[in-house]
Amino acid sequence: MKYTVITGASSGIGYEAALAFAARGKHLILAARRTDELEKLKSKVTEIDPDLDIVIRTVDLSIAANVHAFYESLHQYSIETWINNAGFGNFASVGEQHLPKIEQMLHLNIEALTILSSLYVRDYAEVEGTQIINISSGGGYTIVADAVTYCATKFYVSAFTEGLAQELNGKRAAMQAKVLAPAATETEFAERAFDLDQFEYEGRVPQFHTAEQMAGFLLELYDSESVVGIVNGLTYEFELKEPIFPYAARAASKPND
Protein backbone atom coordinates (compact mmCIF):
# COMPACT_ATOMS: atom_id res chain seq x y z
CA MET A 1 0.00 0.00 0.00
CA LYS A 2 1.47 3.36 -1.06
CA TYR A 3 0.73 6.76 0.45
CA THR A 4 0.77 10.44 -0.48
CA VAL A 5 1.94 12.77 2.31
CA ILE A 6 0.55 16.31 2.41
CA THR A 7 1.67 18.81 5.05
CA GLY A 8 -0.44 21.85 5.85
CA ALA A 9 -3.47 19.77 4.92
CA SER A 10 -6.06 21.36 7.22
CA SER A 11 -6.98 24.19 4.82
CA GLY A 12 -6.34 25.84 1.48
CA ILE A 13 -4.26 24.14 -1.20
CA GLY A 14 -3.30 21.26 1.10
CA TYR A 15 -6.94 20.53 1.91
CA GLU A 16 -8.02 20.58 -1.73
CA ALA A 17 -4.97 18.58 -2.79
CA ALA A 18 -6.00 15.87 -0.33
CA LEU A 19 -9.44 15.68 -1.94
CA ALA A 20 -7.92 15.67 -5.44
CA PHE A 21 -5.52 12.82 -4.65
CA ALA A 22 -8.27 10.93 -2.84
CA ALA A 23 -10.39 11.15 -5.99
CA ARG A 24 -7.55 9.28 -7.70
CA GLY A 25 -7.65 6.54 -5.13
CA LYS A 26 -4.53 7.57 -3.24
CA HIS A 27 -4.05 6.60 0.40
CA LEU A 28 -3.16 9.71 2.38
CA ILE A 29 -1.03 10.86 5.30
CA LEU A 30 -2.27 14.31 6.29
CA ALA A 31 -0.37 16.61 8.64
CA ALA A 32 -1.30 19.96 10.19
CA ARG A 33 -1.55 21.71 13.56
CA ARG A 34 -5.35 21.50 13.93
CA THR A 35 -6.64 18.05 14.83
CA ASP A 36 -10.31 18.97 14.47
CA GLU A 37 -9.81 20.22 10.91
CA LEU A 38 -7.84 17.11 9.99
CA GLU A 39 -10.63 14.92 11.36
CA LYS A 40 -13.19 16.82 9.27
CA LEU A 41 -11.00 16.36 6.19
CA LYS A 42 -10.62 12.65 6.92
CA SER A 43 -14.41 12.32 7.08
CA LYS A 44 -14.81 14.13 3.78
CA VAL A 45 -12.18 11.94 2.11
CA THR A 46 -13.94 8.85 3.41
CA GLU A 47 -17.11 10.04 1.69
CA ILE A 48 -15.16 10.17 -1.59
CA ASP A 49 -13.74 6.67 -1.16
CA PRO A 50 -14.40 4.65 2.01
CA ASP A 51 -11.70 2.15 1.04
CA LEU A 52 -8.87 4.64 1.39
CA ASP A 53 -6.57 4.55 4.39
CA ILE A 54 -6.27 8.04 5.85
CA VAL A 55 -3.57 8.68 8.45
CA ILE A 56 -3.58 12.01 10.30
CA ARG A 57 -0.72 13.57 12.23
CA THR A 58 -1.17 16.64 14.41
CA VAL A 59 2.15 18.44 14.38
CA ASP A 60 3.66 21.93 14.49
CA LEU A 61 6.39 21.71 11.87
CA SER A 62 7.90 25.07 12.83
CA ILE A 63 9.73 23.17 15.61
CA ALA A 64 12.67 21.16 14.23
CA ALA A 65 12.38 18.36 16.80
CA ASN A 66 8.76 17.85 15.75
CA VAL A 67 9.81 17.64 12.09
CA HIS A 68 12.22 14.78 12.75
CA ALA A 69 9.72 12.99 15.00
CA PHE A 70 6.98 13.36 12.38
CA TYR A 71 9.11 11.78 9.67
CA GLU A 72 10.25 8.98 11.96
CA SER A 73 6.62 8.21 12.81
CA LEU A 74 5.99 7.29 9.16
CA HIS A 75 8.62 4.56 8.76
CA GLN A 76 5.97 1.84 8.59
CA TYR A 77 4.38 3.43 5.49
CA SER A 78 5.53 3.24 1.88
CA ILE A 79 5.41 6.80 0.53
CA GLU A 80 5.19 7.40 -3.22
CA THR A 81 4.55 11.16 -3.16
CA TRP A 82 5.58 13.81 -0.65
CA ILE A 83 4.01 17.28 -0.85
CA ASN A 84 5.55 19.98 1.36
CA ASN A 85 2.70 22.45 1.46
CA ALA A 86 2.92 23.76 5.04
CA GLY A 87 4.00 27.39 5.18
CA PHE A 88 2.74 30.90 5.75
CA GLY A 89 3.45 34.49 4.71
CA ASN A 90 3.94 37.92 6.18
CA PHE A 91 3.38 41.44 4.92
CA ALA A 92 5.46 44.17 6.56
CA SER A 93 8.57 46.15 5.77
CA VAL A 94 11.79 44.51 6.95
CA GLY A 95 12.37 47.12 9.65
CA GLU A 96 8.84 46.74 11.01
CA GLN A 97 8.25 43.00 10.77
CA HIS A 98 7.45 41.13 13.98
CA LEU A 99 10.50 38.95 14.55
CA PRO A 100 8.92 36.10 16.55
CA LYS A 101 6.51 35.54 13.64
CA ILE A 102 9.36 35.86 11.13
CA GLU A 103 11.45 33.31 13.03
CA GLN A 104 8.53 30.86 12.98
CA MET A 105 8.06 31.49 9.24
CA LEU A 106 11.75 30.79 8.56
CA HIS A 107 11.57 27.57 10.57
CA LEU A 108 8.47 26.36 8.72
CA ASN A 109 9.01 27.63 5.16
CA ILE A 110 12.71 26.78 4.97
CA GLU A 111 13.94 24.54 7.77
CA ALA A 112 11.06 22.05 7.95
CA LEU A 113 10.82 21.78 4.17
CA THR A 114 14.57 21.16 3.87
CA ILE A 115 14.63 18.51 6.60
CA LEU A 116 11.61 16.63 5.22
CA SER A 117 12.85 16.85 1.64
CA SER A 118 16.30 15.59 2.63
CA LEU A 119 14.96 12.66 4.63
CA TYR A 120 12.51 11.66 1.91
CA VAL A 121 15.16 11.85 -0.83
CA ARG A 122 17.59 9.88 1.33
CA ASP A 123 15.09 7.04 1.71
CA TYR A 124 13.25 7.07 -1.63
CA ALA A 125 15.42 8.61 -4.38
CA GLU A 126 15.89 5.23 -6.07
CA VAL A 127 12.28 4.08 -5.72
CA GLU A 128 10.49 4.08 -9.07
CA GLY A 129 7.45 6.34 -9.35
CA THR A 130 8.26 8.61 -6.40
CA GLN A 131 7.80 12.37 -6.48
CA ILE A 132 8.46 15.25 -4.12
CA ILE A 133 6.51 18.44 -4.78
CA ASN A 134 7.35 21.57 -2.81
CA ILE A 135 4.91 24.47 -2.75
CA SER A 136 6.60 27.79 -3.47
CA SER A 137 4.90 30.95 -4.74
CA GLY A 138 4.98 33.50 -7.51
CA GLY A 139 6.84 35.34 -4.75
CA GLY A 140 9.48 32.66 -5.11
CA TYR A 141 10.38 34.13 -8.50
CA THR A 142 9.45 37.82 -8.05
CA ILE A 143 10.10 40.01 -5.00
CA VAL A 144 6.89 41.64 -3.79
CA ALA A 145 6.89 44.96 -1.92
CA ASP A 146 6.34 44.60 1.85
CA ALA A 147 6.79 40.84 1.56
CA VAL A 148 10.56 40.74 1.10
CA THR A 149 11.28 38.17 3.81
CA TYR A 150 8.39 35.94 2.78
CA CYS A 151 9.51 36.07 -0.86
CA ALA A 152 13.07 35.26 0.20
CA THR A 153 11.81 32.09 1.91
CA LYS A 154 10.01 31.11 -1.27
CA PHE A 155 13.02 31.95 -3.45
CA TYR A 156 14.77 29.40 -1.25
CA VAL A 157 12.02 26.83 -1.85
CA SER A 158 12.16 27.41 -5.62
CA ALA A 159 15.96 27.32 -5.84
CA PHE A 160 16.26 24.34 -3.49
CA THR A 161 13.66 22.30 -5.37
CA GLU A 162 14.89 23.18 -8.84
CA GLY A 163 18.42 22.33 -7.70
CA LEU A 164 17.21 19.04 -6.23
CA ALA A 165 15.50 18.21 -9.53
CA GLN A 166 18.74 18.90 -11.41
CA GLU A 167 20.71 16.82 -8.91
CA LEU A 168 18.35 13.85 -9.15
CA ASN A 169 18.33 14.07 -12.93
CA GLY A 170 22.13 14.20 -13.01
CA LYS A 171 22.27 11.02 -10.96
CA ARG A 172 19.55 9.41 -13.09
CA ALA A 173 17.60 8.82 -9.91
CA ALA A 174 14.08 7.41 -10.09
CA MET A 175 12.52 10.22 -8.05
CA GLN A 176 11.21 13.43 -9.61
CA ALA A 177 11.36 16.76 -7.75
CA LYS A 178 8.93 19.51 -8.70
CA VAL A 179 7.94 22.97 -7.49
CA LEU A 180 4.49 24.57 -7.65
CA ALA A 181 4.37 28.38 -7.66
CA PRO A 182 0.85 29.75 -7.15
CA ALA A 183 -0.09 33.40 -7.45
CA ALA A 184 -2.87 34.88 -5.29
CA THR A 185 -5.04 32.01 -4.08
CA GLU A 186 -8.19 32.16 -1.97
CA THR A 187 -6.99 30.46 1.20
CA GLU A 188 -6.25 31.41 4.82
CA PHE A 189 -2.90 32.79 3.60
CA ALA A 190 -3.96 36.46 3.70
CA GLU A 191 -5.47 36.19 7.17
CA ARG A 192 -2.25 34.86 8.64
CA ALA A 193 0.01 37.11 6.55
CA PHE A 194 -1.89 40.25 7.60
CA ASP A 195 -2.84 38.95 11.09
CA LEU A 196 -6.56 39.32 10.35
CA ASP A 197 -9.56 37.32 11.56
CA GLN A 198 -11.08 37.33 8.08
CA PHE A 199 -10.11 38.41 4.56
CA GLU A 200 -12.43 38.52 1.55
CA TYR A 201 -10.63 38.04 -1.76
CA GLU A 202 -13.64 38.98 -3.89
CA GLY A 203 -13.57 42.73 -4.53
CA ARG A 204 -10.16 43.21 -2.88
CA VAL A 205 -7.87 41.05 -5.02
CA PRO A 206 -8.09 41.78 -8.78
CA GLN A 207 -7.18 38.23 -9.84
CA PHE A 208 -6.92 35.03 -7.89
CA HIS A 209 -7.48 31.30 -8.08
CA THR A 210 -9.44 29.15 -5.70
CA ALA A 211 -7.63 26.50 -3.69
CA GLU A 212 -9.53 23.89 -5.69
CA GLN A 213 -8.17 25.34 -8.94
CA MET A 214 -4.65 25.27 -7.52
CA ALA A 215 -5.08 21.63 -6.53
CA GLY A 216 -6.01 20.98 -10.15
CA PHE A 217 -2.81 22.71 -11.28
CA LEU A 218 -0.90 20.60 -8.76
CA LEU A 219 -2.26 17.47 -10.41
CA GLU A 220 -1.24 18.80 -13.84
CA LEU A 221 2.30 19.21 -12.53
CA TYR A 222 2.17 15.79 -10.91
CA ASP A 223 1.14 14.17 -14.20
CA SER A 224 3.78 16.01 -16.24
CA GLU A 225 7.51 15.57 -16.75
CA SER A 226 8.05 19.28 -16.00
CA VAL A 227 9.91 20.59 -12.97
CA VAL A 228 8.10 23.90 -12.46
CA GLY A 229 4.38 24.63 -12.42
CA ILE A 230 3.88 28.37 -12.18
CA VAL A 231 0.98 30.79 -12.44
CA ASN A 232 1.84 33.62 -14.83
CA GLY A 233 1.57 36.79 -12.73
CA LEU A 234 0.20 38.81 -15.67
CA THR A 235 -2.22 36.45 -17.39
CA TYR A 236 -2.91 34.14 -14.42
CA GLU A 237 -2.54 31.20 -16.79
CA PHE A 238 -0.90 28.08 -15.39
CA GLU A 239 2.34 27.15 -17.15
CA LEU A 240 4.53 24.06 -16.97
CA LYS A 241 8.23 24.82 -17.36
CA GLU A 242 11.70 23.38 -17.14
CA PRO A 243 13.92 24.77 -14.32
CA ILE A 244 14.04 28.57 -14.38
CA PHE A 245 17.15 29.31 -12.30
CA PRO A 246 20.59 28.77 -13.87
CA TYR A 247 22.33 25.63 -12.70
CA ALA A 248 26.10 25.17 -12.68
CA ALA A 249 26.93 21.49 -12.65
CA ARG A 250 30.04 20.63 -10.68
CA ALA A 251 32.97 20.19 -13.06
CA ALA A 252 35.73 19.32 -10.61
CA SER A 253 36.07 15.96 -8.89
CA LYS A 254 36.25 15.49 -5.15
CA PRO A 255 39.75 15.03 -3.69
CA ASN A 256 40.88 11.41 -4.00
CA ASP A 257 38.34 10.69 -6.77
Side-chain angles (χ1 to χ4, degrees):
M1 192 179 290
K2 296 180 179 180
Y3 289 79
T4 295
V5 174
I6 304 174
T7 68
S10 61
S11 66
I13 296 171
Y15 179 96
E16 293 295 342
L19 299 181
F21 276 88
R24 291 198 171 189
K26 301 293 186 182
H27 303 291
L28 300 172
I29 298 171
L30 307 173
R33 294 174 303 145
R34 296 177 291 182
T35 307
D36 55 341
E37 296 302 321
L38 287 174
E39 292 286 1
K40 290 176 187 174
L41 175 56
K42 182 177 180 178
S43 297
K44 188 156 187 178
V45 169
T46 302
E47 291 174 10
I48 294 173
D49 187 342
D51 294 327
L52 295 181
D53 187 30
I54 312 300
V55 178
I56 62 174
R57 289 286 190 271
T58 303
V59 58
D60 182 352
L61 293 174
S62 67
I63 300 168
N66 292 354
V67 179
H68 286 277
F70 165 61
Y71 188 84
E72 289 166 10
S73 78
L74 305 180
H75 279 170
Q76 70 194 84
Y77 303 101
S78 177
I79 300 167
E80 66 174 353
T81 306
W82 190 290
I83 301 172
N84 281 314
N85 170 70
F88 67 89
N90 184 72
F91 284 93
S93 66
V94 172
E96 296 175 346
Q97 59 191 5
H98 182 55
L99 283 179
K101 181 181 179 183
I102 294 303
E103 289 166 9
Q104 186 182 25
M105 183 176 73
L106 293 172
H107 289 314
L108 183 59
N109 293 14
I110 294 176
E111 187 177 46
L113 179 138
T114 305
I115 292 169
L116 292 173
S117 297
S118 301
L119 292 170
Y120 183 60
V121 170
R122 185 176 299 170
D123 289 343
Y124 287 90
E126 299 305 328
V127 178
E128 203 63 44
T130 54
Q131 289 195 40
I132 181 165
I133 303 176
N134 290 330
I135 309 303
S136 181
S137 166
Y141 292 93
T142 301
I143 300 171
V144 179
D146 287 330
V148 170
T149 307
Y150 167 70
C151 288
T153 70
K154 291 302 187 178
F155 263 79
Y156 176 88
V157 173
S158 298
F160 173 78
T161 311
E162 286 194 18
L164 172 58
Q166 299 272 23
E167 183 179 284
L168 291 170
N169 184 58
K171 293 178 177 179
R172 292 183 169 84
M175 180 183 291
Q176 292 178 290
K178 300 175 180 180
V179 57
L180 181 73
T185 307
E186 189 178 24
T187 66
E188 294 179 0
F189 174 87
E191 283 137 346
R192 192 159 187 197
F194 288 110
D195 295 316
L196 299 172
D197 292 330
Q198 190 173 5
F199 182 91
E200 293 294 334
Y201 279 75
E202 197 67 51
R204 299 183 69 174
V205 180
Q207 287 183 292
F208 62 90
H209 290 109
T210 65
E212 185 178 6
Q213 286 174 312
M214 281 312 311
F217 296 152
L218 175 58
L219 282 181
E220 283 187 45
L221 177 62
Y222 174 81
D223 289 334
S224 78
E225 296 297 319
S226 299
V227 172
V228 179
I230 187 169
V231 173
N232 185 304
L234 297 176
T235 65
Y236 265 63
E237 294 293 317
F238 182 65
E239 300 171 354
L240 294 171
K241 295 177 175 286
E242 292 311 300
I244 293 170
F245 292 129
Y247 180 72
R250 181 168 60 86
S253 299
K254 290 180 183 177
N256 303 320
D257 275 4

